[in-house]
Amino acid sequence: MATVSAGARLHVGFQNLSLARERLYGGIGVGLAEPRVTVTAEPAASVEADDPLVRTYASRAVEVLDVSGVAVTLEESLPRHVGLGSGTQLALAVLTATARAHGIEPRIRDYAPAMGRGGRSGVGVATFEDGGFVVDAGHPTNRFTTEPPAEGDWTVPPVVARHSLPSEWRFLVVVPEADPGRSGDDEDASMRAVVERADPAIADEIAGVVTRKLLPAAAAGRLESFGEAIAEIGRKNGAWYADAQGGVFRPPAGELVEALEDCQVLSGIGQSSWGPVVYGVTDIAHAPEAEAAAEDALADRGLEGRVILTGTAENGARVRTDTDRQ
């Protein structure tokens, strides 16, 4: 039996969405210690799983790894389609658990495309592998039109920068009860519309923020500068998405971002992926004040939801097998 547990990820945004530039996408994000997805797997004669999505990923894993079958149990799940990378983390957890249960090296980066992951952003794959703060290289634009490559017909973007963030930093994650973010065909259609209209000048502005502010702040552990940079990148991404999601931030994320911007102990307020998750960064000393501000923001707007304070994932997914337990 193999058990695999992986933390969620935040997606700050992309470096470029215009076909007029040499590379497309280029994800920026952070692996989180919490919340987590956890699965267990053991060899079987066929594919067995109670959860339909787990069964789908298990079937793909069995095919990719060329094994007889697997029985997978979902022990702990991430909220789906809210901006926490649930699909990628679940797919890779199932792949890894299936491989380890059969005594096989999972080769996560190689097999991720066959699992349907890493087609745009490589952040989720990278944080599953190693955690931390990640910037990926994106894909060569000449391989893309407004239609993405066929499923699996890509390689996961390489990581161009990765930093472990200071252990005293805390990410505030607000998960309001709201309509889920876009996924599947709906997400593909929205991304196609965004790429068709994307202003390349925004990508040039983001490049300056990444190289002159974000990467130096991450390397030096400067929280305020890091927060300012991710907030700026998030807003510039929102300008690309404004028509598709009804504003720089989608409802109700925009209301929460506006409220949390008034909290003096938080910086880097933004929306993760298509939302509705909203995040910010603080330090451990000011975490209770940040948490209270988030609870108030939800209550003042009549929203139910969950508030999470978490550190970053210092490493990738946790893997245990029967051998480890002995």
Side-chain angles (χ1 to χ4, degrees), residues 121-174:
S121 173
V123 169
V125 176
T127 59
F128 186 92
E129 291 177 315
D130 296 311
F133 160 73
V134 174
V135 179
D136 77 56
H139 299 270
T141 305
N142 59 15
R143 293 201 57 220
F144 286 77
T145 62
T146 54
E147 293 290 339
E151 185 167 305
D153 186 23
W154 61 75
T155 56
V156 178
V159 173
V160 293
R162 183 205 172 276
H163 294 283
S164 294
L165 300 178
S167 61
E168 65 270 18
W169 287 17
R170 291 293 180 272
F171 279 85
L172 176 80
V173 180
V174 186

Side-chain angles (χ1 to χ4, degrees), residues 16-24 141 195 198-201 203-204:
N16 173 51
L17 291 179
S18 170
L19 294 172
R21 295 294 179 262
E22 290 185 3
R23 298 193 75 86
L24 192 65
T141 305
V195 169
D199 180 357
D204 299 338

Side-chain angles (χ1 to χ4, degrees), residues 176-191:
E177 289 187 9
D179 292 337
R182 303 184 186 195
S183 62
D185 292 341
D186 185 30
E187 181 181 17
D188 286 341
S190 297
M191 287 300 300

Side-chain angles (χ1 to χ4, degrees), residues 133 163-171 208-231 267-268 281-283:
F133 160 73
H163 294 283
S164 294
L165 300 178
S167 61
E168 65 270 18
W169 287 17
R170 291 293 180 272
F171 279 85
V209 177
V210 170
T211 57
R212 294 193 292 270
K213 194 167 189 176
L214 179 61
L215 292 180
R222 296 198 303 270
L223 189 152
E224 186 173 347
S225 293
F226 180 87
E228 290 172 356
I230 61 173
S267 64
V281 61
T282 186
D283 59 30

Side-chain angles (χ1 to χ4, degrees), residues 50-198:
D50 291 336
D51 183 277
L53 186 56
V54 172
R55 190 180 311 117
T56 296
Y57 286 139
S59 296
R60 290 192 183 190
V62 164
E63 182 178 355
V64 166
L65 297 167
D66 192 22
V67 296
S68 59
V70 67
V72 183
T73 302
L74 181 62
E75 306 285 355
E76 186 178 14
S77 63
L78 291 170
R80 292 178 180 172
H81 308 312
V82 299
L84 293 175
S86 61
T88 296
Q89 302 311 305
L90 177 60
L92 298 182
V94 170
L95 169 68
T96 303
T98 301
R100 293 299 189 192
H102 284 276
I104 297 171
E105 173 60 43
R107 292 170 54 193
I108 295 160
R109 187 163 288 266
D110 292 341
Y111 291 147
M115 299 294 291
R117 316 314 302 180
R120 293 191 183 92
S121 173
V123 169
V125 176
T127 59
F128 186 92
E129 291 177 315
D130 296 311
F133 160 73
V134 174
V135 179
D136 77 56
H139 299 270
T141 305
N142 59 15
R143 293 201 57 220
F144 286 77
T145 62
T146 54
E147 293 290 339
E151 185 167 305
D153 186 23
W154 61 75
T155 56
V156 178
V159 173
V160 293
R162 183 205 172 276
H163 294 283
S164 294
L165 300 178
S167 61
E168 65 270 18
W169 287 17
R170 291 293 180 272
F171 279 85
L172 176 80
V173 180
V174 186
V175 190
E177 289 187 9
D179 292 337
R182 303 184 186 195
S183 62
D185 292 341
D186 185 30
E187 181 181 17
D188 286 341
S190 297
M191 287 300 300
R192 182 164 57 248
V194 170
V195 169
E196 285 173 350
R197 296 189 298 265

